[in-house]
Amino acid sequence: MSKPEIIKELKIRNPNIKSEDLEKIFDLFLEEIIEALLNKKPIQIKSFGNFFVKEIKEKKYARNPKTGENIYVPKRNKIRFRASKRLKELINK
């Protein structure tokens, strides 16, 4: 589902709110999530799940699968998502 589709669905469910306002609210919501992740703060959305940043350790002796040569992979951050129990139950019905 794309951003315009989400805004359209929100407009259908909330006809009293202008589409421009819904888009601003949606953008602010995403900005707050991004800001928290940039600061490595976990985000918990009840009944949906948790977003968090996990640091992946450096690998001094990783192997390039194409050439077979050893390469160095620096440490990096990855965004992880852990679905809530309720979301897992809804998806697996």
Side-chain angles (χ1 to χ4, degrees):
M1 187 174 233
S2 66
K3 180 181 171 181
E5 291 172 332
I6 293 171
I7 300 297
K8 186 177 180 182
E9 186 65 34
L10 288 172
K11 180 64 177 166
I12 292 169
R13 293 182 185 199
N14 301 288
N16 297 335
I17 304 174
K18 291 191 258 180
S19 294
E20 298 84 28
D21 293 339
L22 289 169
E23 191 168 350
K24 286 179 186 176
I25 292 168
F26 188 77
D27 287 340
L28 286 171
F29 177 73
L30 292 179
E31 285 175 21
E32 288 300 316
I33 289 176
I34 291 168
E35 186 67 31
L37 291 172
L38 287 173
N39 293 320
K40 297 184 180 181
K41 294 180 183 177
I43 299 155
Q44 180 181 9
I45 302 172
K46 196 164 177 97
S47 75
F48 183 69
N50 298 320
F51 293 94
F52 56 96
V53 175
K54 183 176 181 180
E55 187 175 289
I56 305 299
K57 296 178 185 177
E58 68 180 348
K59 296 178 185 175
K60 294 182 180 179
Y61 300 106
R63 186 174 301 274
N64 181 338
K66 190 173 185 179
T67 63
E69 71 177 290
N70 286 335
I71 57 173
Y72 170 75
V73 179
K75 72 176 182 175
R76 62 189 177 188
N77 295 317
K78 279 195 166 185
I79 299 171
R80 300 287 193 199
F81 174 74
R82 184 171 294 128
S84 70
K85 184 177 177 181
R86 181 169 180 246
L87 181 60
K88 288 178 186 176
E89 288 171 355
L90 289 171
I91 289 174
N92 291 313
K93 277 189 175 181

